Amino acid sequence: QQQVKQSPQSLIVQKGGISIINCAYENTAFDYFPWYQQFPGKGPALLIAIRPDVSEKKEGRFTISFNKSAKQFSLHIMDSQPGDSATYFCAAVTGYSTLTFGKGTMLLVSP
Amino acid sequence: NAGVTQTPKFRVLKTGQSMTLLCAQDMNHEYMYWYRQDPGMGLRLIHYSVGEGTTAKGEVPDGYNVSRLKKQNFLLGLESAAPSQTSVYFCASSQARPGHPPYEQYFGPGTRLTVT
């Protein structure tokens, strides 16, 4: 049973555009929602994270929007750059349990 | 600090062979994890450990065994490799303290394993 559904699978955005990746979850006990960024040939690395008591969190060009009632959260990358080309994973976790990852979105930012 | 390191980086095995993947972390983290990554499947948890001497099964544990004899090391073993175990394997670690769950995981660079 997939508890975190991520879309789209792949995304092509022009340089300077906005990249949007969406995730939906089922378990209302989740209390932490991180996004991981993975460059080719590297391990994933934490990019940004949010807790359900906050509707939005912004770090530089990266913003998480969180909709608790809809059980959805999304990553927005403003002014997308070729260096943002990577695979992005959303995830969710509750307490001391293990992370549940989405299946990933491969982002390509064209020059 | 080296963070999380994995050995080896690449390996080719024949069906039925065995091998051990080594993960080491120098951050004194309590929790350690083994994932496999396959195209379109995301990251799937194989086994994890919440402390030295403890291990637990994840989402896809069949065909793998693990050991955590030292806090800084987490070993993943394949007793009899199968082509279905061709994948990229990632180790991760995280810190946990009372009142502070192990939310942030630090990943190693991965091991690319091919089973022919």
Side-chain angles (χ1 to χ4, degrees):
Chain A
Q1 180 188 2
Q2 184 189 3
Q3 296 189 50
V4 178
K5 293 186 178 181
Q6 184 172 347
S7 63
Q9 267 191 309
S10 61
L11 181 63
I12 300 175
V13 173
Q14 284 198 331
K15 179 181 176 181
I18 301 174
S19 303
I20 301 175
I21 303 170
N22 300 300
C23 285
Y25 63 96
E26 299 165 8
N27 185 351
T28 56
F30 286 142
D31 59 2
Y32 182 77
F33 300 87
W35 284 88
Y36 282 78
Q37 180 187 52
Q38 182 183 29
F39 293 108
K42 305 292 185 182
L46 180 65
L47 178 65
I48 187 172
I50 197 168
R51 295 184 186 271
D53 54 346
V54 177
S55 61
E56 185 176 282
K57 183 174 182 180
K58 185 176 180 179
E59 290 185 3
R61 296 184 293 108
F62 300 89
T63 299
I64 301 178
S65 297
F66 189 85
N67 186 330
K68 190 173 182 178
S69 61
K71 292 187 287 185
Q72 294 176 347
F73 59 110
S74 60
L75 176 69
H76 296 236
I77 306 175
M78 312 300 289
D79 187 26
S80 298
Q81 299 297 312
D84 297 330
S85 297
T87 299
Y88 293 82
F89 294 96
C90 63
V93 64
T94 176
Y96 288 81
S97 65
T98 56
L99 282 171
T100 298
F101 285 92
K103 292 193 174 183
T105 296
M106 193 177 298
L107 171 66
L108 177 64
V109 181
S110 59
Chain B
N1 286 354
V4 179
T5 57
Q6 293 183 233
T7 309
K9 289 185 169 51
F10 304 93
R11 185 73 185 268
V12 178
L13 285 180
K14 293 185 177 178
T15 298
Q17 288 184 321
S18 63
M19 79 163 294
T20 300
L21 282 68
L22 171 64
C23 175
Q25 54 95 3
D26 61 2
M27 297 174 283
N28 202 35
H29 285 174
E30 293 293 333
Y31 285 51
M32 296 187 75
Y33 314 82
W34 275 108
Y35 294 90
R36 60 177 291 174
Q37 183 176 22
D38 304 289
M41 299 297 291
L43 291 157
R44 292 184 292 170
L45 183 64
I46 304 171
H47 286 281
Y48 66 101
S49 167
V50 301
E52 181 178 322
T54 74
T55 63
K57 294 180 180 180
E59 180 186 354
V60 289
D62 293 342
Y64 306 94
N65 57 75
V66 288
S67 64
R68 182 101 181 266
L69 299 180
K70 294 183 178 181
K71 185 177 182 180
Q72 64 268 33
N73 295 338
F74 196 27
L75 278 64
L76 178 70
L78 287 73
E79 290 188 348
S80 179
S84 61
Q85 294 178 305
T86 293
S87 187
V88 180
Y89 291 86
F90 287 100
C91 176
S93 70
S94 60
Q95 182 58 285
R97 303 189 303 276
H100 291 81
Y103 288 150
E104 182 173 357
Q105 294 188 14
Y106 295 81
F107 284 80
T111 294
R112 185 173 295 274
L113 175 67
T114 302
V115 183
T116 61

